[in-house]
Amino acid sequence: MRRIIGSARANPLPHAGTISVFLLGVVTFTGLYITLFFEFGFDASYSAVEDLTNHPIQRVMRGIHRYSSAALVLTTIVHAWRIFVSGRFGSARRYRWLTGLTALVLIWLAGVTGYWLVWDLRAQALGESVQSVIGGFGWGASFVVRNIVGSGAGSGSGLMVFVWFAHVILTIVIGFFMWRHLRRSRLRWVPPRHWMILMAAGLLLLAIAVPADLLDHADPARLTPAMPLDPFILFLLPPLLSSKAGLVVLAMTAAVVAAALVPWVLKDRSPVVEVLEDKCTGCDLCVADCPYMALSMVQIGDTEGTRGLAVVDPDACVGCGICLGSCSFGALELPGFDSHAVELVDPQGKQVVVTCERHLRTNRVPSDDQHTVVAVRCTGMFHAQAVGDLMRRGAESVQIVGCAPGECAYGIGNELTHDRLGGQRAPHLQRAFQGSVAEDYVALGDLALAVKSPGLHPATDASHMPAGRRTRVAAAAVVMLSLLGVGLATLIPFDGASADAAVRVVVDHTPGRQITGQPSPSGVVGQPVAVVVTVDGVAMGSKAVPRSGTSAVGVIDFDLDPGSYDLVVELHEGNTVTTLFSGPAVVEAGRRVFLEAIDEPPPPGADEGRAIFNDNRRGGCSACHSVAPGDDRPVAPSLGGIADRAGQRIPGMTAQEYLHESIVDPNAYIVDGFRAGQMLPIYQDRLTPEEIESLIEYLLTLGGTS
């Protein structure tokens, strides 16, 4: 990248982390703006986004929101990759790695929920991917059927409110983890101003030139069509829509867990600074300079009074050695590095090059009699007053070669060195030697070039774009083209299943209850339920419907080739067969024959009656009575199918009247095989008249003697 631009200082990649923070701010601001015009519900949400798309200003804001979200994922990944390849994740930085990884996962989840809120064909594909993952479980199938697919989901306002809250809460939690990621450090939180201006301008131009699209409204009778698929956020959709959805989830979970364990698997043996108590004067310079706030000052007492003492937090120290460059009294040591290394070299007549380990791992200085190299952990570890010592011992010159602005492995080591040598920060370079040291802060790989031409790259300030029209134009072009690439990538087509066809049956049926459109209740409580499809007289097979409590709930799909068929779709419950569809059907490519087997809603009081039936503090009927047909207990008959029997117990008495009498005067009629006195006549006083009516409404839903 820096080769293209012509300057390491105009390279945006070292600022990927802070650019991510800026993009999160853009996403949050534009999201709040969009929320002002949003409504909740399948149709309402789609119409609201449609209105946004048709309004010139709102369309641009929506485009900025989408593209900044995608760019946020990309820059966070780039930042994580740079941290990984440079090995800046171990030891005291494990917590920073984990918080950053968590933020990345949450950013992706927030993007997924954002696409879901539109309720277009992408949202439908997301819903079907959720079905692929959890639809085989009873609780998962229940959630999908009653909230996402089919008429049981109603207007969808509940789901949309839930997804919106999830979207907002995820954004807040992302901000929290980013704060946790950056806290207890002196590192920058936001990128230099010129990068923010370029990013904002690029996003604005991209949103105008490539408006965020809006696909057709979600349609459960339509298979996932060919459509643009955002590879930054929706990359999992294709595999999740396959038959291997469960394996995909396991693989992704394993990948995230493996990434989280990287700091423990690839152990970092960074040393921890040691404080020599007898030499520490309590000057506080090391505390002020430590990038990760690993040092603090405490007061200790002795016979002559109290004094300050630097104390190191081993869980925060990353072993950069920057504090050694702050200490003029030799009170700090870094295991593995000789604090007297500068004193041990022979500088006579030579160019002394002080550089960090990272530069030496990627490049070498000329090996001759004219140069000698002093290796330090970070250039911030080099004490400014050591320049005078080298010059007094005959050094021809002293050169500091550090990392380019924004690229220091410890954030600010190069800046601290520059400020000390320039007299802007203690400990200062002696006045007699000011101007005698060459400073070069260059990208990795440029060490040899810097040594050949000392002093050409002395700046460490990343807040200003370097002078030079070519450099500035190249940097702007890189940002604009990168954002254009992000925008165009979100238009990458996904083939979908446009050439296929299918039969889909959405089932939410409790055996013993009446399915909407059917003449009477069907099945018996507790029986297994299956969907059977017959095409041109040939059975395609039988698929069991998942169980959720006493209900059969699920989405059952049968694949077909497009064409015309004599189609029969049946629901099998034991010996009961309910025909959901029978007749000729033209199955078009990319379409489904969409059918539902959903029970008639119970009377308004039935849910309350069920609660009373099962609540021992009120009715407590379930303690003695079963609702499974034929499951008589020693003390009480089964109430399974009571809705069918109640009206036939006593001539001239309706089912409601019989049930009311049985509750308030249980000994008025005794079922054969049982004796009087088993049920106490306490419920007229224990329950209110309204509660008794609700209990009766529930009992009248317990049909199913067939």
Side-chain angles (χ1 to χ4, degrees):
M1 183 71 75
R2 61 187 173 85
R3 302 294 185 192
I4 298 174
I5 297 175
S7 171
R9 290 163 177 76
N11 181 5
L13 291 182
H15 306 281
T18 53
I19 288 174
S20 297
V21 177
F22 169 72
L23 288 173
L24 178 63
V26 174
V27 169
T28 302
F29 173 77
T30 54
L32 290 172
Y33 177 85
I34 291 171
T35 299
L36 297 175
F37 308 96
F38 194 72
E39 297 182 23
F40 300 100
F42 297 151
D43 295 333
S45 297
Y46 185 85
S47 296
V49 177
E50 193 172 36
D51 292 340
L52 283 169
T53 305
N54 293 331
H55 189 282
I57 296 177
Q58 296 169 13
R59 177 172 63 247
V60 171
M61 294 294 280
R62 179 170 175 254
I64 293 175
H65 186 70
R66 172 177 291 185
Y67 297 133
S68 59
S69 299
L72 175 57
V73 174
L74 179 61
T75 55
T76 308
I77 291 174
V78 169
H79 176 64
W81 177 251
R82 287 175 59 84
I83 294 297
F84 175 75
V85 297
S86 62
R88 291 180 278 166
F89 50 75
S91 188
R93 290 189 275 195
R94 291 173 179 172
Y95 183 75
R96 295 171 64 84
W97 173 265
L98 289 177
T99 53
L101 179 65
T102 303
L104 174 59
V105 173
L106 294 176
I107 287 167
W108 169 68
L109 287 173
V112 170
T113 55
Y115 271 109
W116 209 348
L117 285 169
V118 180
W119 206 249
D120 60 0
L121 290 173
R122 287 193 193 93
Q124 177 183 328
L126 284 169
E128 295 192 1
S129 68
V130 171
Q131 174 201 324
S132 296
V133 175
I134 66 174
F137 305 98
W139 60 269
S142 177
F143 174 80
V144 170
V145 169
R146 294 169 184 172
N147 294 280
I148 301 176
V149 181
S151 59
S155 67
S157 59
L159 177 67
M160 289 293 99
V161 169
F162 172 79
V163 175
W164 181 83
F165 269 107
H167 187 63
V168 171
I169 291 172
L170 283 169
T171 304
I172 294 172
V173 176
I174 290 166
F176 170 77
F177 274 99
M178 281 195 172
W179 171 72
R180 296 291 296 184
H181 183 69
L182 292 166
R183 69 184 290 270
R184 286 189 59 81
S185 76
R186 306 187 194 280
L187 308 183
R188 288 185 175 85
W189 287 50
V190 294
R193 183 174 58 182
H194 56 271
W195 294 124
M196 291 191 285
I197 293 173
L198 285 175
M199 292 294 294
L203 288 168
L204 177 61
L205 292 175
L206 178 61
I208 294 172
V210 188
D213 61 353
L214 177 64
L215 305 183
D216 292 340
H217 195 293
D219 179 3
R222 185 174 180 179
L223 288 166
T224 305
M227 60 182 178
L229 207 62
D230 183 343
F232 304 104
I233 296 173
L234 302 180
F235 62 94
L236 280 181
L237 264 184
L240 286 179
L241 291 172
S242 70
S243 59
K244 306 296 184 182
L247 293 177
V248 173
V249 172
L250 290 176
M252 284 301 300
T253 302
V256 172
V257 171
L261 294 177
V262 160
W264 285 268
V265 176
L266 304 177
K267 293 183 179 179
D268 178 19
R269 294 178 174 82
S270 297
V272 176
V273 166
E274 297 176 356
V275 179
L276 305 180
E277 184 175 334
D278 58 329
K279 294 184 178 182
C280 180
T281 65
C283 68
D284 203 37
L285 293 180
C286 60
V287 176
D289 283 357
C290 180
Y292 297 98
M293 302 181 183
L295 287 162
S296 59
M297 194 64 60
V298 299
Q299 294 296 316
I300 61 172
D302 54 29
T303 56
E304 299 179 359
T306 62
R307 66 183 180 91
L309 175 67
V311 177
V312 62
D313 179 0
D315 293 330
C317 179
V318 300
C320 62
I322 288 176
C323 54
L324 274 69
S326 305
C327 183
S328 300
F329 305 98
L332 298 168
E333 289 187 349
L334 186 65
F337 285 83
D338 191 341
S339 58
H340 302 288
V342 173
E343 302 172 11
L344 297 177
V345 300
D346 179 13
Q348 183 66 41
K350 296 180 181 180
Q351 176 184 343
V352 179
V353 179
V354 180
T355 189
C356 65
E357 291 179 319
R358 294 178 72 210
H359 274 299
L360 290 175
R361 282 197 297 264
T362 58
N363 210 199
R364 292 292 177 185
V365 297
S367 179
D368 52 41
D369 295 336
Q370 298 178 1
H371 301 86
T372 186
V373 178
V374 176
V376 290
R377 183 86 171 182
C378 171
T379 53
M381 181 180 177
F382 179 71
H383 200 286
Q385 294 179 1
V387 174
D389 174 67
L390 291 169
M391 296 297 292
R392 281 190 291 266
R393 290 195 288 127
E396 185 72 24
S397 63
V398 177
Q399 181 185 18
I400 306 295
V401 183
C403 296
E407 291 198 22
C408 176
Y410 306 103
I412 57 175
N414 48 7
E415 297 177 25
L416 295 176
T417 301
H418 179 71
D419 290 346
R420 292 166 186 163
L421 294 174
Q424 301 170 21
R425 193 179 192 94
H428 306 123
L429 175 65
Q430 300 97 318
R431 185 182 300 274
F433 299 103
Q434 286 183 0
S436 62
V437 59
E439 296 180 66
D440 287 282
Y441 300 99
V442 295
L444 298 181
D446 286 350
L447 173 61
L449 294 175
V451 172
K452 289 180 180 179
S453 304
L456 291 183
H457 305 92
T460 61
D461 188 2
S463 62
H464 297 288
M465 181 73 74
R469 178 178 299 176
R470 177 187 177 279
T471 296
R472 296 188 175 190
V473 170
V478 165
V479 171
M480 298 299 177
L481 291 175
S482 298
L483 288 174
L484 179 61
V486 169
L488 295 178
T490 63
L491 303 178
I492 293 176
F494 166 59
D495 188 29
S498 301
D500 302 323
V503 174
R504 166 166 287 185
V505 183
V506 176
V507 181
D508 188 357
H509 171 56
T510 301
R513 291 182 56 181
Q514 183 174 340
I515 298 172
T516 300
Q518 298 298 323
S520 61
S522 61
V524 176
V525 174
Q527 285 185 332
V529 178
V531 175
V532 177
V533 173
T534 302
V535 176
D536 293 335
V538 178
M540 293 186 62
S542 173
K543 293 187 178 182
V545 182
R547 298 291 297 272
S548 177
T550 59
S551 300
V553 187
V555 179
I556 307 301
D557 289 311
F558 290 85
D559 295 329
L560 288 174
D561 293 325
S564 299
Y565 302 100
D566 182 15
L567 182 67
V568 178
V569 181
E570 298 172 331
L571 197 70
H572 287 217
E573 310 170 69
N575 296 324
T576 305
V577 177
T578 302
T579 301
L580 303 177
F581 181 89
S582 180
V586 177
V587 188
E588 300 177 2
R591 304 290 297 180
R592 295 186 178 104
V593 175
F594 186 81
L595 303 170
E596 294 185 309
I598 296 179
D599 289 343
E600 290 277 4
D607 287 339
E608 172 66 9
R610 180 186 292 106
I612 295 170
F613 186 90
N614 293 300
D615 187 351
N616 289 332
R617 294 170 299 178
R618 295 195 284 174
C621 314
S622 58
C624 297
H625 292 278
S626 169
V627 296
D631 184 20
D632 291 335
R633 295 178 180 176
V635 296
S638 167
L639 295 179
I642 190 62
D644 302 321
R645 301 190 300 271
Q648 304 169 11
R649 288 290 196 196
I650 301 175
M653 185 176 286
T654 65
Q656 289 88 344
E657 292 170 340
Y658 170 76
L659 291 172
H660 186 276
E661 181 185 75
S662 297
I663 293 170
V664 301
D665 187 9
N667 293 316
Y669 178 88
I670 304 300
V671 176
D672 291 343
F674 297 89
R675 57 190 178 85
Q678 293 293 323
M679 179 175 170
L680 299 176
I682 60 175
Y683 293 97
Q684 187 164 10
D685 297 326
R686 190 171 185 176
L687 302 175
T688 67
E690 291 77 15
E691 288 176 324
I692 292 174
E693 289 302 318
S694 295
L695 182 56
I696 291 172
E697 287 189 28
Y698 168 62
L699 294 174
L700 288 174
T701 68
L702 301 178
T705 58
S706 56

